[in-house]
Amino acid sequence: AWKTAIRCKNSCVTTDWDFNVAMQSRSLLIVCTLAVVVIWQVPYGRQLLYPLTLLATYAHEMGHGITALLTGSEFDHLVLHADGSGMAMWRGNPGRLATALVAAGGLVGPTIAGIGLLLVSRNPRHARTVLACLAAVMVATVVLWSRNAFGVVFLTAVAATLGIAARVLPPAAASFLLHFIAATLCLSWFNHLGYLFSAQAVVNGVAVPSDSSVIAQALWLPYWFWGGVVALFSMSGTAWGISRG
C-alpha cells in the first residue's frame, strides 16, 4: 500500500507539472499571436517582421518542393528574393491532380510548418532542440536546393542565428522565439490573403500565374474558389494548432 501511495503521489505531481507546462505554453502562444497581429498593424511593423516574412516564403516554396517529391516528381531548386517573393522549380509530369497538389502545397506550407512547430514545442525543455533542428534543415536546404545568392545568404544567416539561439538561450527564451516563429507562419496566410484570390503573382518583378490559378487550370472551377478553400483550410488549421499548442 505504501508503494502504491508513493506511485500515486508521483503520478499526481507529474500530471500537475504537465498541466502547468501546457498552460504556460498556451499563454505564450496567445501572447505571440497577438504580438504578431499588432506588429503588422503599426507603422513599419511589416518591416520589423521582414525576416519572418522571408521565412514564410521559404516555408511556402519548401511546401511546393516537398509536395513535388511526395507526388513522384523532382524538386530541382528554390530561390528567395529580397522583395519577399520566391519560386520553387520542379520537374515531372505527374498528372493534373498531382500538379494541383504541388501548387496547393506551397499555399498551405507555412500553416502546416507553423502547426508542426507548435506541436513539437509544447514543452519548453524541447525548444532548443527544435531550434537546432530548424537550423539543420536550413543548412540542408542551402546544400540541396537553394540556388541564388540572396537565398543562400538569408538561409545561412537564419540557420546560424537559430543555431546560436539553441545553444545560448535559456529554455523559456527559446520557447518564446519558437512560438513567435510558429505564430507568424500560422498567420502568414492572412497577411497574404489577397494572393489567394489573385490570378497572378509578381516574383522578382515578373508576373506569373498564382498558385490558385495553377490549381484552377489543373482541375476545374475558378481560381478564387480554390483560394477560398485554401483560406478556409488555413484558418481552421491555425485555430486547431493554437488550441493544441
Side-chain angles (χ1 to χ4, degrees), residues 96 100 196 198-199 210-229:
R96 295 163 65 91
L196 295 178
S198 298
S210 69
D211 292 322
S212 299
S213 288
V214 173
I215 298 174
Q217 292 168 9
L219 299 179
W220 58 87
L221 300 176
Y223 66 87
W224 52 261
F225 172 83
W226 296 111
V229 171

Side-chain angles (χ1 to χ4, degrees), residues 36 48-57 154 180-181 184-185:
V36 170
L48 289 174
L49 293 180
Y50 174 69
L52 293 179
T53 298
L54 286 174
L55 198 59
T57 300
F154 171 74
F180 197 81
I181 293 173
T184 304
L185 291 176

Side-chain angles (χ1 to χ4, degrees), residues 78-157:
L78 65 82
V79 294
L80 300 176
H81 300 292
D83 63 358
S85 64
M87 183 170 289
M89 303 300 295
W90 59 280
R91 291 181 291 184
N93 188 25
R96 295 163 65 91
L97 178 59
T99 298
L101 288 175
V102 173
L107 293 175
V108 301
T111 300
I112 292 176
I115 293 172
L117 290 180
L118 293 177
L119 294 180
V120 300
S121 61
R122 287 183 290 180
N123 191 325
R125 292 183 302 179
H126 302 154
R128 291 190 294 185
T129 300
V130 176
L131 288 175
C133 290
L134 276 178
V137 168
M138 290 185 182
V139 171
T141 301
V142 169
V143 173
L144 295 174
W145 295 301
S146 186
R147 292 295 180 270
N148 70 318
F150 178 82
V152 169
V153 172
F154 171 74
L155 292 176
T156 301

